[in-house]
């Protein structure tokens, strides 16, 4: 947060799954003009209000609401929020696509996402299958590859199957957790979804959002205690901003 002061100084901030108000407090300390937290668990809402009051923040500088964050996003008017924070909760939900679509509609100046991610995989079988499908579409609907040299066809194949910006394979892992456990999903079924890095960045690009992934290894961290998830790539962070309009 301290490395992105433009996201907080004088800004209206929304904190999704605000828990005990720790990041609301941090946003206010970094100069936010107003911070709204949305938290599904009533006990966390009570704690957040108490903590923010005890920290000396002006009562009109923050508001902590009890409710479902996905439903709350749907009610927000476009342009009414400058910065949206989503720390930790994203992988405990199954509405990732819906959330990113709403972020695009609301159009904050910044969406800061920190989440656990599924492991990146080459997925050669899926890449080859997609290449075959694309070949079939070109052959049956777009005139085929007539006129292309063997070298050009080989380069096209390599671009399709080798990992790279143009050949990402996004994946999302669905799994269950105990909804009664501390910090778990509030969904009664316990169902949650972990997307991999490629899936999230493909969604950002699909919805016309510019994104910068935080390189945790370049942050000069001297003590990785409690930060091991970032060092081994199990958890990732992005600063996402409005970009081109999605077609």
């Amino acid at each position: 947060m301290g490395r992105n002061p433009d996201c907080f100084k004088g800004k209206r901030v929304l904190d999704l799954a605000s828990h005990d108000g720790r990041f609301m407090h941090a946003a206010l300390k970094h100069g936010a003009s107003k911070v709204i937290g949305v938290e599904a668990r009533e006990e966390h809402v009570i704690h957040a209000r108490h903590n923010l009051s005890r920290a000396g923040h002006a009562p009109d500088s923050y508001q902590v609401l009890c409710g479902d964050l996905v439903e709350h996003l749907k009610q927000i008017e476009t342009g009414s929020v400058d910065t949206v924070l989503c720390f930790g909760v994203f992988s405990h939900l199954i509405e990732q696509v819906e959330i990113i679509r709403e972020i695009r509609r609301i159009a904050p100046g910044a969406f800061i996402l920190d989440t656990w991610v599924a492991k990146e995989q080459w997925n050669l079988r899926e890449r080859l299958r997609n290449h075959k499908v694309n070949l079939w579409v070109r052959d049956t609907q777009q005139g085929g590859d007539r006129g292309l040299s063997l070298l050009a066809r080989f380069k096209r194949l390599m671009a399709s199957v080798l990992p790279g910006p143009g050949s990402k394979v996004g994946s999302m892992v669905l799994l269950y957790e105990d909804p009664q456990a501390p910090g778990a999903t509030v969904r009664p079924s316990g169902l949650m979804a972990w997307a991999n890095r490629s899936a999230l960045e493909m969604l950002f690009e699909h919805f016309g959002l510019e994104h910068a992934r935080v390189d945790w290894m370049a942050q000069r961290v001297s003590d990785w205690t409690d930060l091991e998830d970032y060092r081994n790539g199990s958890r990732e962070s992005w600063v996402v901003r409005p970009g081109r309009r999605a077609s």
Side-chain angles (χ1 to χ4, degrees):
M1 296 173 74
R3 299 192 182 206
N4 293 277
D6 61 304
C7 297
F8 300 99
K9 186 69 174 178
K11 304 297 186 181
R12 301 161 297 175
V13 177
L14 173 65
D15 185 11
L16 301 176
S18 50
H19 199 259
D20 59 5
R22 65 190 69 179
F23 293 115
M24 296 180 67
H25 167 72
L28 289 166
K29 293 292 285 185
H30 282 87
S33 60
K34 179 69 177 283
V35 181
I36 296 176
V38 181
E39 171 57 50
R41 290 184 167 87
E42 180 64 35
E43 63 270 24
H44 290 335
V45 171
I46 294 172
H47 290 157
R49 290 170 179 165
H50 172 75
N51 292 338
L52 292 166
S53 175
R54 188 174 62 176
H57 296 296
D60 61 352
S61 68
Y62 65 87
Q63 184 179 11
V64 190
L65 306 175
C66 187
D68 183 281
L69 68 88
V70 178
E71 294 304 316
H72 183 80
L73 282 174
K74 295 177 182 178
Q75 299 171 18
I76 296 178
E77 294 183 4
T78 300
S80 63
V81 175
D82 299 308
T83 299
V84 178
L85 308 179
C86 187
F87 295 163
V89 70
F90 202 71
S91 59
H92 293 284
L93 304 169
I94 59 172
E95 297 95 345
Q96 281 88 346
V97 176
E98 194 171 350
I99 290 171
I100 296 175
R101 180 187 294 115
E102 287 300 314
I103 291 296
R104 180 54 180 162
R105 181 190 61 80
I106 296 167
F111 171 52
I112 304 179
L113 173 66
D114 183 277
T115 183
W116 284 274
V117 293
K119 184 178 180 180
E120 290 286 310
Q121 296 181 348
W122 187 11
N123 294 313
L124 178 59
R125 180 176 297 178
E126 287 80 1
R127 291 174 187 269
L128 287 171
R129 178 179 180 274
N130 186 60
H131 180 69
K132 289 179 180 179
V133 170
N134 287 335
L135 283 178
W136 181 85
V137 171
R138 282 197 293 270
D139 287 342
T140 61
Q141 302 178 34
Q142 299 173 354
D145 286 337
R146 288 188 295 272
L148 277 183
S149 67
L150 287 176
L151 178 60
R153 295 184 187 191
F154 178 74
K155 288 182 177 179
R156 176 176 286 176
L157 171 62
M158 291 297 99
S160 298
V161 301
L162 294 179
S167 62
K168 295 177 182 177
V169 175
S171 63
M172 189 171 291
V173 180
L174 296 176
L175 43 127
Y176 287 107
E177 63 178 347
D178 180 2
Q180 302 303 318
T185 179
V186 297
R187 303 291 188 257
S189 70
L191 185 63
M192 55 189 250
W194 284 28
N196 68 351
R197 178 198 301 172
S198 291
L200 291 174
E201 294 186 347
M202 291 165 79
L203 286 172
F204 297 150
E205 292 157 9
H206 172 75
F207 287 108
L209 298 168
E210 296 179 355
H211 55 89
R213 183 172 57 88
V214 176
D215 182 357
W216 279 92
M217 300 306 294
Q219 302 306 307
R220 299 180 179 178
V221 177
S222 58
D223 182 3
W224 288 93
T225 303
D226 298 327
L227 294 173
E228 189 62 33
D229 288 338
Y230 296 98
R231 182 160 66 172
N232 64 29
S234 299
R235 190 161 177 164
E236 302 263 22
S237 309
W238 287 266
V239 178
V240 182
R241 299 180 187 273
R244 60 176 174 76
R245 279 287 174 184
S247 59

